[in-house]
């Protein structure tokens, strides 16, 4: 089973895809998590990713596609996976179609989360993130116990 979650930033893709992943017992592939893990591993791709992240630039399509290709080949994706945050454009969409076709797969479900603009603005404007782990808080809906600090590891939170 291969599931794709689409929607604007703040629409709830990450939250919903994690819930689906747990219920379906398949891997949850978040591009943010993939990027952070590669940097942490100090892999060849991770070093390239880090250069982009440190300068505030977006990772190239080719690099992101290579990361996704490697990730979907992992053992925990054998029974399926959920894509959260990929593809983000037509080049990536064509690439994932090709990657799935090569593996004899196709999307089982594509879920589009359509959220009103005003709610997206509210959700995004109150969001704090742990830059190390990607843990997300919200000042109204899910505030940390100590303002500006992650409940899990004490890392100072940032606004993206």
């Amino acid at each position: 089973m291969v599931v794709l979650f689409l929607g604007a930033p703040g629409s709830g893709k990450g939250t919903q895809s994690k819930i689906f992943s747990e219920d379906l017992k398949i891997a949850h592939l978040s591009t943010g998590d993939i990027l952070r893990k590669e940097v942490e591993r100090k892999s060849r791709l991770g070093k390239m990713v880090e250069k982009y992240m440190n300068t505030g630039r977006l990772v190239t399509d080719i690099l992101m596609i290579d990361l996704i290709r490697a990730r979907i080949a992992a053992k925990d994706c054998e029974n399926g996976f959920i894509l959260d945050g990929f593809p983000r454009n037509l080049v990536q969409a064509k690439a994932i179609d090709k990657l799935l076709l090569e593996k004899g797969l196709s999307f089982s479900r594509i879920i589009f989360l359509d959220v009103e603009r005003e709610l997206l603005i509210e959700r995004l404007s109150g969001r704090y993130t742990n830059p190390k782990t990607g843990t997300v808080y919200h000042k109204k809906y899910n505030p940390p116990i100590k303002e500006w600090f992650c409940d899990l590891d004490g890392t100072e939170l940032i606004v993206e």
Side-chain angles (χ1 to χ4, degrees):
M1 173 176 277
V2 179
V3 180
L4 171 62
F5 273 84
L6 295 173
S11 63
K13 295 182 303 294
T15 301
Q16 295 303 315
S17 59
K18 284 177 190 170
I19 293 168
F20 272 66
S21 170
E22 291 168 8
D23 287 350
L24 298 171
K25 298 184 180 13
I26 59 176
H28 169 232
L29 309 185
S30 159
T31 53
D33 290 347
I34 292 169
L35 293 169
R36 281 185 290 277
K37 284 179 184 167
E38 282 301 312
V39 170
E40 187 178 295
R41 285 182 51 226
K42 299 189 185 316
S43 68
R44 180 184 62 81
L45 292 175
K47 289 175 184 175
M48 294 168 68
V49 167
E50 189 171 33
K51 288 178 185 176
Y52 284 96
M53 293 172 80
N54 288 342
T55 59
R57 295 182 298 154
L58 292 175
V59 173
T60 65
D61 289 337
I62 293 170
L63 182 52
M64 199 66 236
I65 292 161
D66 285 345
L67 290 165
I68 293 292
R69 178 184 292 111
R71 184 62 185 88
I72 66 176
K75 185 158 183 61
D76 68 334
C77 291
E78 287 178 355
N79 294 323
F81 52 89
I82 295 175
L83 285 169
D84 163 17
F86 185 90
R88 291 188 185 258
N89 60 45
L90 186 58
V91 170
Q92 292 178 0
K94 288 179 179 180
I96 192 63
D97 275 346
K98 183 178 176 193
L99 288 173
L100 293 176
L101 187 63
E102 289 169 0
K103 294 177 77 59
L105 299 171
S106 63
F107 289 111
S108 306
R109 297 282 186 270
I110 298 174
I111 300 169
F112 177 69
L113 301 177
D114 189 16
V115 179
E116 291 182 20
R117 181 182 168 104
E118 294 77 23
L119 185 54
L120 290 173
I121 292 169
E122 179 184 342
R123 287 179 177 179
L124 291 173
S125 63
R127 186 182 272 188
Y128 307 107
T129 305
N130 179 326
K132 291 182 181 176
T133 65
T135 304
V136 177
Y137 294 91
H138 190 277
K139 66 181 177 184
K140 180 178 177 182
Y141 302 113
N142 181 33
I145 295 168
K146 183 178 179 186
E147 192 173 13
W148 293 105
F149 293 92
C150 180
D151 297 344
L152 304 175
D153 68 3
T155 298
E156 188 170 2
L157 304 173
I158 62 169
V159 176
E160 293 187 273

